[in-house]
Each structure stands twice: as structure tokens, then as C-alpha cells.
Amino acid sequence: MSDVPVNLLDFDLDALAAWCEALGEKRFRAVQLFRWIHQRTESDFSAMSDLARSLREKLTARACVAAPPVLRQSEAADGTIKWLFDVGDGNAVEAVYIPEDDRGTLCVSSQAGCAVGCRFCATGHQGFSRNLTTAEIMGQLWFAERFVRQRLGVAERVISNVVLMGMGEPLQNYRCVLPALRAMLDDHGWGMSRRRVTVSTSGMVRMMERLARDCPVALAVSLHAPDDALRDALVPLNRKHPIDELMAACRAYLQHAPRDFITIEYCMLGGVNDAPEQAEALIALLRRHSLRAKFNLIPFNPFPLSGLERSPQERVRAFAGILNGAGIVTTIRRARGDDIAAACGQLAGDVRDRTRAAERMARRRTIPLHLAPTA
Ligand code: SAH
Ligand code: SF4
């Protein structure tokens, strides 16, 4: 084994058991260790009192349990907390804790930057730097849980739900996201039910099929447009997997999903995708594909240089009204942590673009989007 300590947050239970086996330890020891790490958020091996002293010493010499260092922490008036984590090489990613009456949700990042390059997303404008490791993904959850527990002075779980809706496209980092999901679901780990863990995707059709097979958690799909012409302009991935293909993949996912609907996210952009006719077109689209879905309308969160506008509240309400009127349950996402820029698409840690995505985005900004007819 090398001298660099192994970060045990990198492992799901099977991988931890295999690692422990290489140390000459039985699986039940890995189970105990996994529970200490994920259920009690312990990082000090010497405090893991039911492990043999010899094992604790081996662990101290070879392993660690560590979240990425925190560069900045901001707390909003409504209790939302945002952390900026340093993931090295000048890259930083964010996680956001959102307390509500009946739950605590953590929004987690999966990549430093994002290669999909959606027109309305601050992360997309930064371009892509690299995939996060499983330890960096789990580290956000582990750190946030530990922090909030200490803050509230409680020993029991505070984060009940996880959404992979931070920076990055989780299904473009499947190899590292999958063990993280498994640790979240494992009864010896976080023990979350599949409906409390949501993967949000911009429409990676092939990977949706794999997720359905491997670990079918709740799925949210970022649609943002009722037709291919507009979606091509907003979500470049659409040129590879057009809407009909995406809708078919959603239907197939439903055979495995923990709920009987898919959540469709729709970022409301003034004069672009918020016209009543576009709501009607969405209704027709869902009917054509017999897809059971709930809509989550996200008022656009502006960021510098986006060149786009938030839909006026009235228009968002009218849009929701049309969808609801057709029997499609539609909610409007409440902005949380407004005063600390913690909202969707505003998560903009520093990311070193190692691609030319930033330049591409700058060029694309000069191409006007067609404006939807106003009501
Ligand atoms: N890459 C994944 C998950 C991260 S983005 C995805 O695209 O689904 C999470 C959600 O935030 C997506 O629905 C995305 O469309 C939305 N979003 C991105 N930028 C936004 C912005 N500026 N305002 C509002 N929502 C935004
Ligand atoms: Fe990437 Fe999602 Fe942002 Fe699109 S919306 S650029 S897929 S993080």
C-alpha cells in the first residue's frame, strides 16, 4: 500500500470491505467502520471504540476520513447554508443546505464545472474542469451533516434528503457518483430511501438506462423547452438526444423509479420559454408520450453576462396554472438563500476551464434566442 492515506469516503460498503480484507479484516469490521464514518460522522479512528486497537492503529497509519477544505461558508437569513469547497488546482465547488419544517436537504455538486454548457447556467458558462471523486462528493454530505449537527447540538441525523443539483452533470460522472449513491442508500451508511435521493440530469439518455439498472433513485430531468429547436439552443446536449428520445428514456426509467412520476425541471426565462402556447405544447408532449410527470418551474436566477431575464412572477403563475389545469401537478420553486446566491445555477465556485467551453459560450451569447410570443 502507498504512503498516501486512503480517504475512506471514497468507498461504498463493498469497496470498503474489499479494502479491509486486504488488511486481513473480516467484512463485519468494515460494516462497523462504515457506520462510524457515515452514521456518526466520526473521522478519528482512535475514537472508534468497538474496533480492535490493532485495527485502529492500522487505520490511523493508512487511512483518513476527510472532506475537501472549506474556502468559504455563507449563511442566509432563512437558515440556508452554502459552502465553497476547495478541490485543488484552483477549482472550487459548492454545496447548499436547505432546512425546511419536515426535512433537511443538501444540494451536492458532482463536477468542477460542467461540459454540457446550458445557456442559462453559471456552471455551464465556466466550462468543465474535472469530475469530482466519490470522496469529494460524499465529503460535501459528511461535512455538512457534521457541521449542522454541531451547530444544533444534536446527535441525530439532520440531512434527510440529497439532491444532485449542484454544479455539474451527475450522469457524466457516473463512475464516482454511483458509489456515493450506494453509500447514501446503504442501511449501514446513510440509510436514505431511494425517494429521498434525487439525481438531476440534463438528459443523458444512455446513462439514465444504467442508473435505472444499477441504482434507481428519484430522477429529475431538466427539460426547459417544449420543442427541439428551442431546447437545442438552451441545452446543447439536445442535439445528440432530442426530446422524443428523452421522453422515451423517462418512460423507461419509470419502470424502476421509486415514485410513479418523473420530476421535470423547467427554468423560466422571460420571453424565451414562458409563453402560454409553450405550456400547451408541453401538455401535448407529455400526452403524446403518456408520461407521468410533475413540473417544477424554477424562476431563472440571473448571473452576470447571461444575457437572459427572469420570467415575471405573473407569467410563471399563469404557466403553472395552465399545466395544473391539465392535471399536471406543477410547483414553483421558492428561492432559498437569495441573499447568498445559493440558488440553482448561481453556484459558481472558481473553476479552471480546461476546455474551450468558455469561449464557445461567449460566442453563443452573441446569437440571439428567438423570443417567444408574449401573451
Ligand atoms: N446538471 C444537472 C444538475 C445540476 S443543475 C441538470 O442540469 O439537471 C440543477 C438545476 O438547476 C437544473 O434543472 C438546471 O436547469 C437548473 N439551473 C441551472 N442554471 C439555472 C439558473 N440560472 N436559474 C435557475 N435554474 C437553473
Ligand atoms: Fe451542466 Fe446542469 Fe448547468 Fe446544464 S444546467 S450546464 S447540465 S450543471
Side-chain angles (χ1 to χ4, degrees), residues 2-324:
S2 85
D3 290 342
V4 181
V6 174
N7 193 345
L8 300 186
L9 290 177
D10 235 349
F11 297 145
D12 60 17
L13 182 54
D14 283 347
L16 185 65
W19 186 81
C20 285
E21 202 185 327
L23 289 182
E25 298 289 339
K26 297 234 157 57
R27 185 179 172 94
F28 83 94
R29 290 290 177 213
V31 169
Q32 284 177 309
L33 182 55
F34 203 66
R35 294 171 73 103
W36 273 108
I37 297 168
H38 295 287
Q39 296 187 348
R40 302 181 65 167
T41 63
E42 185 57 74
S43 58
D44 179 0
F45 298 119
S46 64
M48 300 183 180
S49 47
D50 56 357
L51 299 183
R53 179 187 292 265
S54 59
L55 173 56
R56 284 187 260 160
E57 281 167 4
K58 274 192 242 176
L59 290 170
T60 306
R62 291 159 210 223
C64 66
V65 177
V70 172
L71 284 172
R72 199 166 59 229
Q73 175 181 312
S74 335
E75 295 192 45
D78 65 6
T80 301
I81 309 177
K82 178 170 92 166
W83 294 274
L84 183 67
F85 293 96
D86 182 357
V87 292
D89 283 341
N91 293 317
V93 299
E94 290 180 324
V96 182
Y97 170 68
I98 306 149
E100 284 171 284
D101 291 343
D102 58 342
R103 70 181 87 172
T105 303
L106 191 74
C107 177
V108 168
S109 294
S110 57
Q111 299 181 309
C114 183
V116 179
C118 299
R119 176 79 191 258
F120 48 83
C121 172
T123 308
H125 278 239
Q126 293 174 338
F128 176 68
S129 184
R130 72 166 171 85
N131 283 326
L132 298 188
T133 63
T134 303
E136 287 166 337
I137 297 167
M138 285 312 288
Q140 299 167 55
L141 175 56
W142 184 86
F143 180 89
E145 174 73 26
R146 204 167 132 111
F147 178 89
V148 179
R149 272 192 211 180
Q150 270 172 12
R151 162 67 58 91
L152 301 177
V154 297
E156 61 273 15
R157 180 69 56 74
V158 287
I159 296 172
S160 57
N161 296 54
V162 173
V163 294
L164 274 88
M165 293 184 186
M167 297 167 71
E169 168 51 55
L171 296 187
Q172 280 193 346
N173 183 16
Y174 193 70
R175 193 176 65 80
C176 297
V177 163
L178 184 61
L181 294 177
R182 289 194 164 133
M184 290 172 204
L185 300 189
D186 201 307
D187 282 342
H188 297 297
W190 291 79
M192 288 175 174
S193 78
R194 290 191 288 131
R195 32 173 82 205
R196 288 183 178 270
V197 178
T198 302
V199 165
S200 174
T201 180
S202 54
M204 306 274 305
V205 166
R206 294 284 94 76
M207 301 317 289
M208 285 162 62
E209 289 163 8
R210 279 189 68 182
L211 186 68
R213 273 200 311 271
D214 296 341
C215 194
V217 293
L219 187 70
V221 170
S222 297
L223 186 61
H224 311 306
D227 59 80
D228 282 322
L230 181 57
R231 195 164 191 270
D232 281 353
L234 293 174
V235 184
L237 189 64
N238 196 68
R239 292 173 213 149
K240 198 160 160 213
H241 299 297
I243 293 179
D244 280 344
E245 203 186 323
L246 179 58
M247 293 293 107
C250 287
R251 263 199 67 162
Y253 195 88
L254 274 181
Q255 293 176 354
H256 307 269
R259 296 181 192 271
D260 62 356
F261 61 88
I262 298 282
T263 302
I264 293 190
E265 291 162 284
Y266 195 95
C267 176
M268 297 294 289
L269 301 160
V272 172
N273 66 356
D274 63 345
E277 304 81 75
Q278 288 164 312
E280 299 289 355
L282 288 168
I283 296 165
L285 177 71
L286 293 197
R287 291 211 174 122
R288 190 150 45 84
H289 287 272
S290 309
L291 179 68
R292 284 181 63 93
K294 288 191 181 175
F295 266 78
N296 195 347
L297 305 181
I298 317 173
F300 170 60
N301 295 305
F303 56 92
L305 295 176
S306 73
L308 294 163
E309 283 169 23
R310 180 182 274 205
S311 275
Q313 213 178 39
E314 284 319 304
R315 227 163 137 83
V316 178
R317 283 214 199 101
F319 202 88
I322 297 171
L323 293 171
N324 274 318

Side-chain angles (χ1 to χ4, degrees), residues 341-360:
C344 301
Q346 289 182 317
L347 305 183
D350 294 325
V351 168
R352 250 188 222 174
D353 187 9
R354 297 217 170 72
T355 65
R356 298 266 56 87
E359 268 173 33
R360 273 204 314 277

